[in-house]
């Protein structure tokens, strides 16, 4: 609950459907979750073409969202939100394949200790066994097409893909694993680094950001919890007095 409320205070880029691999022809919606609604965030991207913003030869801009009705392989690239002042959000790697298999993996970093479920999806959908690979090496084959790694650690970070007999292989996607506190960094904003740097920079020096978050949270705790606590105490003592 604490994390949810904290995450709501921070803006970031979200993608719908929530996966980083798409088939050619899919529709994609990218949204900048705004912190106060006044920053004027726009979705930008860097593909094989020069980097540009939504509405400029690609996508349809709508408020702080961007819709791409039909994606092609040329839409493969890195996407992020940028404010008028030049602050950037977290970035998402989007890969569009002309093939028949995609890997469904979490778009945001996975928390250390959490389970990670990967799904191999074919087009048209099937329920065939799928083989899962990490950094080019076979992990295992699953008859269900889904694979769960339990309690992931930093060593599970890497480049994942899958294949399905008769359909072929998916593209590769990078999956990052982060320690619990740094999950908050999945949606950092108000940094002036380029989106690719945002992550690593925060990871290397999370302290100032985290401590300001902690400060904010402690403040929130004092403002919300203490009055509640005190009024509960008052009520209890009043009740006890009345009973006497
Ligand atoms: C865009 O991508 C190109 C090629 O990968 C890279 O050289 C360039 O620095 C990127 N630009 C930005 C703003 O990320
Ligand atoms: C995007 O992909 C590159 C190359 O696989 C990787 O180094 C980078 O960390 C990825 N970025 C995100 C936000 O996942
Ligand atoms: C995945 O691809 C490899 C090499 O192409 C193949 O030997 C293997 O049978 C495939 N696995 C599945 C489940 O399709």
């Amino acid at each position: 609950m604490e994390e949810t409320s904290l995450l709501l205070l921070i803006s970031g880029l979200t993608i719908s459907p929530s996966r980083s691999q798409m088939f050619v022809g899919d529709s994609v919606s990218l949204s900048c979750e705004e912190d106060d609604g006044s920053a004027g965030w726009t979705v930008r991207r860097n593909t094989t073409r020069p980097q540009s913003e939504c509405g400029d030869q690609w996508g349809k801009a709508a408020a702080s969202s961007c819709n791409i009705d039909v994606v092609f392989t040329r839409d493969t690239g890195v996407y992020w939100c940028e404010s008028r002042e030049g602050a950037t959000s977290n970035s998402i790697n989007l890969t569009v394949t002309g093939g028949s298999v995609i890997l469904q993996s979490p778009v945001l970093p996975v928390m250390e200790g959490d389970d990670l479920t990967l799904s191999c999806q074919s087009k048209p959908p099937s329920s065939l066994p799928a083989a899962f690979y990490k950094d080019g090496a076979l992990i295992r084959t699953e008859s269900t097409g889904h694979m769960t790694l339990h309690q992931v650690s930093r060593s599970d970070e890497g480049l994942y893909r899958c294949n399905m007999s008769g359909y072929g292989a998916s593209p590769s996607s990078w999956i990052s694993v982060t320690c619990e506190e740094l999950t908050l960094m999945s949606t950092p904003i108000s940094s002036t680094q380029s989106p690719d740097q945002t992550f690593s920079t925060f990871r290397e020096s999370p302290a100032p950001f985290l401590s300001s978050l902690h400060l904010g949270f402690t403040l929130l705790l004092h403002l919300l919890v203490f009055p509640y606590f005190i009024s509960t105490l008052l009520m209890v003592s009043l009740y006890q007095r009345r009973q006497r």
Side-chain angles (χ1 to χ4, degrees):
M1 208 175 95
E2 297 174 1
E3 257 160 39
T4 316
S5 54
L6 282 175
L7 282 173
L8 288 175
L9 299 172
I10 311 165
S11 22
L13 174 65
T14 60
I15 186 167
S16 172
S18 184
R19 46 184 160 89
S20 53
Q21 296 190 4
M22 307 280 169
F23 292 114
V24 164
D26 283 350
S27 299
V28 177
S29 180
L30 298 139
S31 302
C32 302
E33 303 297 332
E34 305 195 48
D35 42 1
D36 56 4
S38 64
W41 297 94
T42 51
V43 180
R44 298 191 69 88
R45 75 177 191 183
N46 194 10
T47 59
T48 48
R49 290 155 179 223
Q51 69 139 308
S52 61
E53 79 174 56
C54 180
D56 176 17
Q57 309 202 348
W58 65 276
K60 286 184 196 143
S64 54
S65 297
C66 183
N67 299 311
I68 311 177
D69 291 339
V70 176
V71 290
F72 295 96
T73 49
R74 62 166 181 263
D75 293 310
T76 294
V78 54
Y79 290 73
W80 69 94
C81 296
E82 204 164 306
S83 75
R84 274 192 297 267
E85 291 77 28
T88 58
S89 73
N90 61 305
S91 56
I92 290 176
N93 285 332
L94 179 64
T95 307
V96 182
T97 176
S100 307
V101 178
I102 56 169
L103 176 73
Q104 289 197 345
S105 60
V107 176
L108 295 177
V110 186
M111 261 197 268
E112 217 167 5
D114 275 4
D115 290 349
L116 164 65
T117 298
L118 302 173
S119 299
C120 204
Q121 191 192 317
S122 64
K123 186 185 178 178
S126 67
S127 46
L128 290 171
F132 292 87
Y133 298 80
K134 176 181 180 271
D135 300 325
L138 177 71
I139 307 171
R140 59 177 180 264
T141 301
E142 291 276 2
S143 57
T144 56
H146 309 283
M147 182 186 70
T148 301
L149 297 175
H150 296 284
Q151 300 192 341
V152 295
S153 64
R154 288 299 290 270
S155 63
D156 291 308
E157 203 163 74
L159 212 50
Y160 287 79
R161 66 181 171 85
C162 67
N163 72 342
M164 256 178 174
S165 49
Y167 284 93
S170 75
S172 295
S173 276
W174 179 262
I175 297 176
S176 39
V177 176
T178 181
C179 68
E180 188 165 0
E181 284 189 302
L182 293 184
T183 311
L184 295 169
M185 304 306 124
S186 60
T187 48
I189 213 95
S190 310
S191 71
T192 46
Q193 301 99 12
S194 86
D196 270 341
Q197 287 170 341
T198 313
F199 247 121
S200 46
T201 311
F202 272 118
R203 198 175 278 160
E204 281 153 18
S205 55
F209 185 73
L210 270 184
S211 61
S212 71
L213 264 182
H214 278 156
L215 191 75
F217 190 69
T218 312
L219 229 110
L220 211 75
L221 207 78
H222 281 75
L223 289 175
L224 295 181
V225 177
F226 282 21
Y228 179 78
F229 185 60
I230 288 166
S231 59
T232 308
L233 272 182
L234 275 173
M235 272 162 65
V236 166
S237 69
L238 278 176
Y239 179 77
Q240 283 175 342
R241 238 176 254 173
R242 199 173 285 178
Q243 286 230 317
R244 270 181 227 147

